[in-house]
Amino acid sequence: MKQSRIAALFALMALASLGACTAPAGEDEISSSEGALRALDTDESAFLGLLNAYRAQNGLAPLTATPLLNQVAYDHSLDMGQKAYFDHNDLNGVNPFDRMKNAGYRGGAMAENIAAGNSSAQGTFDQWKYSAGHNANMLGTAYRAIGIGRAAVPGSPYTYYWTTDFGDVVDGSQLPGGGTTGGGTTGGGTTGGGTTAVAQLYTDYGYRGRTQSLAVGRYTLSRLSGVGNDSVSSLRVPSTLKVTLYQNDNFGGTSVVFTGNSFYVGSAFNDQASSVVVEAR
């Protein structure tokens, strides 16, 4: 509890210095973030539902979570946890607006909230709601898109790190196999963002370590930011999906199929997978 309170205070101070910043649109050359697209997990989807309900209460349009911005937000949360810092700028001095643009996002008005210490969507939402700077970003009238990233990093100063990146343009990014992570309204009420079924890969046994959410699609692990080549040790697979791990990076070589959670992938595949296919069942 003490750690969460400290993290909340730190988060409030950090956002106060950033404010509700707007980055000017430019014509800079931007690198694309192909292969780095992320669906919302259960906690992130819950946060989107809370946020869009809050915006509706204040007469505002809902935000759409896009796979591109989700990945940008998650990468920053993970980086803060793994490198033990808490700031909008990363340790290389890259600010939120440049991170979004470098990933391929083209928007004018952009902002970012960060928080640490709370594992739940509700706890983090409350942290931001009761801070003027954070709250202004959540209720920003210019924003139409959001990226939400929650990273759990055991052994780090705060364990749980959250980042939300806001933008005024809903980019066209889609998850492999099509589709975004939703948002929007139906029949005048918020949808809560919906929940896209995703498999969760972990670098340590027992669902620990770095993690990556994968929707239906084919992935080369060396191109992913959450887990890398030869690093998967456990995974969670919902009942609607099937996951195949391959030892080669071209979806070849020895393979193993998972249709449910695996606390440990087994000695034959521990830290041996180079590519993965996620399919609907």
Side-chain angles (χ1 to χ4, degrees):
M1 182 64 71
K2 179 180 178 182
Q3 190 176 44
S4 179
R5 288 199 299 269
I6 293 172
L9 176 61
F10 198 3
L12 301 185
M13 293 171 62
L15 188 68
S17 66
L18 179 68
C21 293
T22 299
E27 297 301 324
D28 300 326
E29 288 295 321
I30 322 174
S31 60
S32 174
S33 186
E34 294 180 21
L37 302 176
R38 189 171 186 273
L40 297 180
D41 66 17
T42 302
D43 295 289
E44 294 157 349
S45 291
F47 179 87
L48 181 61
L50 291 169
L51 176 58
N52 278 341
Y54 184 44
R55 287 177 63 87
Q57 292 167 9
N58 287 272
L60 299 173
L63 301 181
T64 297
T66 78
L68 178 63
L69 290 182
N70 290 338
Q71 188 70 56
V72 173
Y74 177 79
D75 286 349
H76 188 56
S77 293
L78 186 65
D79 193 59
M80 288 192 292
Q82 290 180 337
K83 297 178 181 177
Y85 72 96
F86 186 83
D87 201 299
H88 292 286
N89 292 353
D90 66 23
L91 295 185
N92 293 319
V94 180
N95 65 46
F97 315 123
D98 286 339
R99 282 195 299 272
M100 295 165 74
K101 289 165 63 177
N102 290 341
Y105 184 75
R106 294 181 181 273
M110 292 181 276
E112 179 177 89
N113 285 354
I114 57 175
N118 270 310
S119 63
S120 70
Q122 185 68 63
T124 300
F125 176 79
D126 289 342
Q127 276 183 268
W128 285 335
K129 181 179 179 181
Y130 297 109
S131 160
H134 291 84
N135 193 59
N137 284 343
M138 294 200 298
L139 296 180
T141 58
Y143 307 130
R144 295 293 178 267
I146 189 172
I148 306 170
R150 170 191 181 273
V153 185
S156 62
Y158 299 119
T159 305
Y160 298 99
Y161 295 79
W162 289 76
T163 301
T164 48
D165 288 316
F166 301 84
D168 61 351
V169 175
V170 178
D171 62 80
S173 61
Q174 291 193 332
L175 297 166
T180 66
T181 51
T185 61
T186 302
T190 62
T191 62
T195 301
T196 301
V198 294
Q200 200 82 17
L201 276 58
Y202 299 84
T203 57
D204 294 341
Y205 74 90
Y207 318 119
R208 299 179 298 114
R210 300 191 311 277
T211 184
Q212 181 85 46
S213 298
L214 299 178
V216 171
R218 298 165 66 88
Y219 304 87
T220 299
L221 295 181
S222 62
R223 297 180 63 189
L224 301 179
S225 59
V227 297
N229 194 46
D230 297 338
S231 66
V232 176
S233 292
S234 59
L235 69 165
R236 294 184 187 274
V237 182
S239 60
T240 56
L241 297 180
K242 175 178 73 172
V243 173
T244 306
L245 299 180
Y246 295 87
Q247 287 189 338
N248 294 348
D249 60 9
N250 60 352
F251 311 102
T254 305
S255 64
V256 61
V257 176
F258 298 90
T259 56
N261 296 343
S262 178
F263 187 85
Y264 177 58
V265 297
S267 58
F269 265 83
N270 184 46
D271 295 338
Q272 296 294 316
S274 296
S275 55
V276 59
V277 174
V278 182
E279 301 172 273
R281 287 208 285 159

